[in-house]
Amino acid sequence: MTLRKNIIYSFFSILILSKGVSDINVVSYGWEVFERNSDSRTIALAQSSIAYPIQNPGTVLLNPALSLNYNNMIGLTHQSRMSGTSNSEFIGFDKYINDSSWVSVIMLYEGVDGIPDTRGALLDWGLDGIFGTFDVGEGNGSLDEGERLDVDNIRFFNQNIFGLYGAHSKIFNNWRIGFGLKIILHTIDKEFGIGAGLDIGAFRNYNNTGIGLIVKNLPSSGLIWESGNIEISPPSLHFGLHQKFSINKYELEINPMLRGSILSLDRSIDSELVLGKIPMEFSAGFEAILKKKLFFRIGMFQRGTLASGIGLSWNDLSVDYAFLNDGSLNGIEKNHLLSVSISTERLKKYFSNKTQEVK
């Protein structure tokens, strides 16, 4: 209860502080850490599991209504992009509020190191590359032909994003309704900003057919910078379908799924336009489960990136791997993810044995 009150107080404090600031910008960026940072199972399914009722931390990020049952597993995921320049971490677990209620907690981190800052390094001497001749291009602030940068004046800085997500759900008229509160801390060099946002999701299962709906950034997510500027991200609507097929003879389970997103400002070049105006994106996933222990996954994003993965599951331990391949020559999204989930009971037993050994 104390944790929930602190989160609510923080959220309203940010809203109150924003009232005295006049520079407000509506943007389509800033919350990507909650969009692209997830666990291997969710990524391998192209993040299309909005209506797939599985006990998986990354699925709760897609739809807070999928916090269906208390999960005693702690999930850890590491991802490295662009030859190690960008790294992200994902931690997910459930925390009891009382005996019959819990909150799904996800902690996120994403960092980019060694970003070059060339401000002040430009030798803005014009096309002839000689200072004081006042030729074309001298002093215009742009790197023109014949000009160069002074490497001694180039410095490097880091960007870091920390995210906290809490999801809680309840049954209402045969639907499970979930609320996801997200808090972000964003630092760029010496500048920092803090923000909060709200997601509302719904889920219902009809005879092995799952239906999921979620509105993200409702009514909008806001990020307040140290300078006083506010960046507001508008809402988006997402819906999903999932169908479960079981072949009991072979202990095989097949799970196809589909996700559709109605976007606002964050449309991409690959977005489909409905009625010539409304940008939409789709993704699809497929998972086959053999004997509830071996998992095979494949997914396709709207932009053409192919995702695939495998998984192994035991009673108190699971390991999942995913690979993204965008199909381009530069391979900017060719990266690997590895997730490990372990039960809290196994961790307690391990540390208890270690403590007894020390004694």
Side-chain angles (χ1 to χ4, degrees):
M1 183 65 69
T2 302
L3 175 63
R4 182 166 56 181
K5 287 183 178 179
N6 289 338
I7 293 176
I8 294 174
Y9 290 156
S10 300
F11 178 70
F12 282 106
S13 296
I14 292 172
L15 293 179
I16 293 172
L17 288 173
S18 68
K19 297 299 182 180
V21 184
S22 58
D23 191 1
I24 300 177
N25 301 302
V26 180
V27 300
S28 60
Y29 55 83
W31 296 86
E32 292 86 353
V33 68
F34 293 95
E35 300 293 334
R36 61 180 172 228
N37 194 352
S38 190
D39 63 88
S40 300
R41 186 175 187 179
T42 305
I43 293 294
L45 295 172
Q47 295 180 304
S48 59
S49 52
I50 285 181
Y52 190 15
I54 53 177
Q55 289 185 312
N56 205 52
T59 306
V60 176
L61 265 181
L62 295 177
N63 187 350
L66 292 179
S67 179
L68 302 174
N69 300 293
Y70 179 80
N71 188 1
N72 70 335
M73 306 285 281
I74 298 177
L76 308 172
T77 303
H78 172 75
Q79 184 177 10
S80 180
R81 301 186 185 94
M82 297 186 297
S83 301
T85 303
S86 174
N87 293 281
S88 60
E89 310 295 338
F90 176 101
I91 301 175
F93 59 91
D94 288 347
K95 172 67 176 177
Y96 268 122
I97 300 174
N98 53 50
D99 291 341
S100 59
S101 185
W102 67 90
V103 59
S104 297
V105 180
I106 296 173
M107 295 183 289
L108 306 166
Y109 167 76
E110 185 174 88
V112 181
D113 300 325
I115 304 172
D117 184 356
T118 59
R119 293 175 297 179
L122 174 61
L123 299 178
D124 199 5
W125 296 347
L127 298 179
D128 60 3
I130 302 174
F131 175 71
T133 60
F134 303 105
D135 66 320
V136 176
E138 184 166 343
N140 66 356
S142 300
L143 182 62
D144 302 310
E145 185 177 353
E147 296 177 339
R148 61 189 184 278
L149 300 178
D150 184 354
V151 294
D152 293 331
N153 288 327
I154 299 176
R155 68 184 188 90
F156 297 87
F157 65 95
N158 301 331
Q159 174 182 257
N160 298 284
I161 304 176
F162 301 89
L164 177 65
Y165 192 87
H168 182 65
S169 65
K170 291 286 187 181
I171 296 292
F172 181 75
N173 286 343
N174 296 321
W175 284 82
R176 181 169 284 273
I177 307 299
F179 299 88
L181 178 62
K182 48 190 178 184
I183 297 175
I184 190 173
L185 174 63
H186 193 168
T187 67
I188 302 178
D189 198 17
K190 297 180 181 179
E191 301 292 326
F192 73 90
I194 186 171
L198 182 67
D199 299 338
I200 298 179
F203 169 76
R204 187 169 183 178
N205 199 353
Y206 292 93
N207 297 323
N208 292 327
T209 300
I211 300 174
L213 297 169
I214 178 173
V215 180
K216 293 189 176 183
N217 304 320
L218 185 70
S220 62
S221 295
L223 182 64
I224 306 175
W225 287 95
E226 183 183 12
S227 61
N229 294 334
I230 297 180
E231 295 175 346
I232 292 179
S233 298
S236 58
L237 175 64
H238 309 262
F239 57 90
L241 292 172
H242 160 258
Q243 180 65 52
K244 175 183 174 181
F245 299 96
S246 298
I247 305 176
N248 296 328
K249 180 179 179 180
Y250 301 103
E251 297 185 61
L252 178 65
E253 183 180 311
I254 299 174
N255 297 280
M257 63 206 73
L258 175 69
R259 168 183 176 174
S261 302
I262 300 176
L263 309 174
S264 49
L265 296 180
D266 53 346
R267 56 175 295 190
S268 69
I269 193 172
D270 298 313
S271 298
E272 299 287 342
L273 291 179
V274 178
L275 302 178
K277 296 181 179 179
I278 305 173
M280 292 190 65
E281 291 188 357
F282 296 91
S283 64
F286 175 88
E287 180 175 64
I289 306 174
L290 182 62
K291 297 183 178 180
K292 297 183 179 181
K293 294 186 180 295
L294 184 59
F295 300 76
F296 299 93
R297 308 176 183 112
I298 190 169
M300 176 68 76
F301 289 91
Q302 173 79 25
R303 57 188 179 271
T305 300
L306 181 66
S308 58
I310 58 174
L312 290 171
S313 178
W314 297 271
N315 291 333
D316 54 3
L317 177 67
S318 64
V319 179
D320 296 288
Y321 165 79
F323 175 66
L324 285 175
N325 186 357
D326 63 355
S328 65
L329 295 177
N330 57 25
I332 193 171
E333 284 201 25
K334 290 182 180 179
N335 53 84
H336 308 263
L337 291 88
L338 181 64
S339 297
V340 177
S341 296
I342 187 170
S343 71
T344 55
E345 295 300 324
R346 181 166 180 169
L347 285 177
K348 290 177 182 178
K349 184 177 179 180
Y350 173 80
F351 286 110
S352 176
N353 292 337
K354 286 292 183 181
T355 303
Q356 292 178 2
E357 290 178 3
V358 171
K359 292 180 179 180

